[in-house]
Amino acid sequence: MNDIDWTSLSFGYIKTDYNIRCHYSDGKWGDIEVSSSEYLNVHIAATGLHYGQEAFEGLKAYRGKDGKIRLFRWEENARRLMNSAEGVLMAKVPEELFKEAVFKAVKLNEKFVPPYGSGASLYIRPLLFGDGAMVGVNPAREFTFAVFVTPVGSYFKGGIKPVNMLISRKYDRAAPMGTGKYKVGGNYAASLKAIIEARDEGYANIVFLDAKEKKYIDECGPANFFGIKGNTYITPESDSILPSITNKSLIEIAGSLGMKTERRPVPLEELNEFDEAGACGTAAVISPIGKIIDPDTNKIYKFGKEGEPGTVQMKLYNILVGIQTGDEPDTFGWVTILD
Ligand code: PLP
Ligand code: COI
């Protein structure tokens, strides 16, 4: 553990000391268990393995200048996990159980929370899946809820340096009436080919379009899309994207700075009008987008000065990260300090 170089961490897995598990059977959740094994013992016919009956969450803990550990908007993640559970017919994890498991996982692995100023954080990954045996396509009656943590650096290489993204025309991530609004594993499986092909061609990620008409922007791989036009923050409204907690927070921050904010369908050609564009999410925080390439029309949408993040999104980024680490006052009440 002493040999972790906090400043050069990537967004990867590093073993920590403990994780948390909790099992649901006979209509109720059992006691929280602490484990130091990295493996789960899963039934060979578990619905989570066969039918993708699973959902996960991602949130972060940050160490402040005062040495204290802060969790960002964990209640929102708890609510979203309940929503995903409803979406694929799983038992819901009550907010209190979610809190206990997440806080315990962080506390027990306190030494893995990266130091203030390193730019790194502790990523928390709650996971819920059907582990009851079923062969016909049916929801399980038993579930596992588990939480592991791992220290991470930037999701996109270069951190706050602009990245280039490719518009996906060959693949859809989620159908209009499908599961795109839930954080379920199947959406990520569906996005893999598109993402890896884009990466192989040198792009940081994919911009998915609405699956029905291919006219509107949906989201950017594992992050929401936003654009800045003058003093307005614009982000897509769509039933097939994940409701991002980071995006929701940026909208509130932008509003508090006197910016106009719009959540509405964003037509592809509106990219021509944006001064800045970015991808936002827990893992990505804000990743400025330099160019978006449309392979079918050969159109290249460019944003801002080459190689530099836009000034508006930098301002939003600094306030968001400031709140998360405790450098900025928590005026919105988003932060919980771990005792
Ligand atoms: N969109 C997708 C598909 C994601 O996986 C994520 C990550 O959770 C986001 C958007 C961003 O959401 P949040 O800001 O809540 O992390
Ligand atoms: C997150 O931002 O927390 C995510 O879940 C993205 C992830 C799938 C890497």
Side-chain angles (χ1 to χ4, degrees):
M1 189 252 132
N2 285 334
D3 47 22
I4 296 180
D5 177 2
W6 303 108
T7 54
S8 60
L9 279 176
S10 63
F11 195 89
Y13 178 81
I14 290 180
K15 185 183 185 309
T16 54
D17 288 344
Y18 303 102
N19 56 68
I20 306 292
R21 294 108 191 269
C22 190
H23 194 244
Y24 181 95
S25 61
D26 300 324
K28 55 181 188 309
W29 287 102
D31 293 334
I32 278 184
E33 283 169 43
V34 175
S35 173
S36 48
S37 164
E38 292 170 279
Y39 296 89
L40 291 161
N41 195 15
V42 181
H43 194 287
I44 197 165
T47 60
L49 296 180
H50 296 260
Y51 304 129
Q53 197 187 22
E54 82 88 45
F56 66 97
E57 271 305 325
L59 63 161
K60 281 178 173 170
Y62 305 81
R63 198 178 295 276
K65 208 185 263 176
D66 53 9
K68 291 183 180 157
I69 299 171
R70 290 167 168 78
L71 273 101
F72 185 70
R73 306 195 80 173
W74 66 268
E75 301 93 332
E76 292 286 336
N77 296 91
R79 265 177 235 140
R80 194 169 61 189
L81 185 61
M82 286 196 237
N83 203 38
S84 298
E86 232 171 70
V88 294
L89 297 183
M90 296 193 285
K92 287 187 192 165
V93 176
E95 190 169 301
E96 268 316 300
L97 172 58
F98 183 93
K99 181 180 186 190
E100 194 186 342
V102 163
F103 280 53
K104 200 168 219 160
V106 176
K107 190 86 197 149
L108 289 171
N109 295 293
E110 210 169 329
K111 65 182 190 205
F112 293 97
V113 182
Y116 172 80
S118 62
S121 55
L122 189 75
Y123 186 68
I124 307 160
R125 175 52 70 82
L127 169 74
L128 171 66
F129 63 95
D131 69 2
M134 259 328 145
V135 182
V137 179
N138 277 305
R141 283 186 284 267
E142 294 178 3
F143 299 89
T144 288
F145 171 53
V147 181
F148 77 81
V149 300
T150 192
V152 294
S154 307
Y155 190 77
F156 291 110
K157 273 199 205 104
I160 195 78
K161 281 229 294 286
V163 296
N164 296 336
M165 299 212 178
L166 185 69
I167 287 175
S168 170
R169 290 191 178 271
K170 273 181 14 205
Y171 305 104
D172 294 316
R173 166 189 174 274
M177 306 288 278
T179 55
K181 57 180 176 293
Y182 307 122
K183 203 163 167 63
V184 297
N187 298 337
Y188 298 81
S191 73
L192 283 174
K193 272 188 101 169
I195 291 174
I196 297 308
E197 282 183 21
R199 247 186 242 158
D200 287 348
E201 290 176 37
Y203 298 98
N205 220 300
I206 280 283
V207 176
F208 287 104
L209 301 180
D210 79 286
K212 193 171 175 189
E213 297 186 85
K214 298 267 189 209
K215 265 193 180 163
Y216 302 96
I217 310 265
D218 251 2
E219 58 183 332
C220 306
N224 275 184
F225 172 86
F226 67 88
I228 307 285
K229 200 193 281 185
N231 195 36
T232 308
Y233 179 102
I234 300 158
T235 193
E237 165 112 80
S238 162
D239 271 351
S240 49
I241 66 177
L242 192 77
S244 156
I245 297 157
T246 313
N247 198 2
K248 182 171 162 172
S249 308
L250 291 172
I251 289 172
E252 288 182 64
I253 294 171
S256 75
L257 295 174
M259 290 179 70
K260 244 182 97 193
T261 61
E262 296 176 4
R263 200 195 274 276
R264 56 162 170 82
V266 177
L268 182 54
E269 48 296 355
E270 195 177 352
L271 288 180
N272 284 313
E273 298 167 27
F274 290 142
D275 307 315
E276 300 181 24
C280 64
T282 298
V285 192
I286 283 183
S287 181
I289 302 177
K291 287 182 203 151
I292 297 179
I293 286 84
D294 187 337
D296 270 20
T297 59
N298 283 326
K299 185 133 183 49
I300 302 177
Y301 301 94
K302 289 188 189 157
F303 309 98
K305 270 203 204 136
E306 180 126 13
E308 281 180 35
T311 51
V312 176
Q313 58 186 303
M314 272 316 289
K315 195 170 183 179
L316 296 172
Y317 174 91
N318 286 328
I319 296 174
L320 176 69
V321 174
I323 293 173
Q324 290 168 333
T325 55
D327 284 349
E328 290 275 338
D330 180 23
T331 41
F332 302 95
W334 288 339
V335 168
T336 309
I337 295 179
L338 206 75
D339 296 325

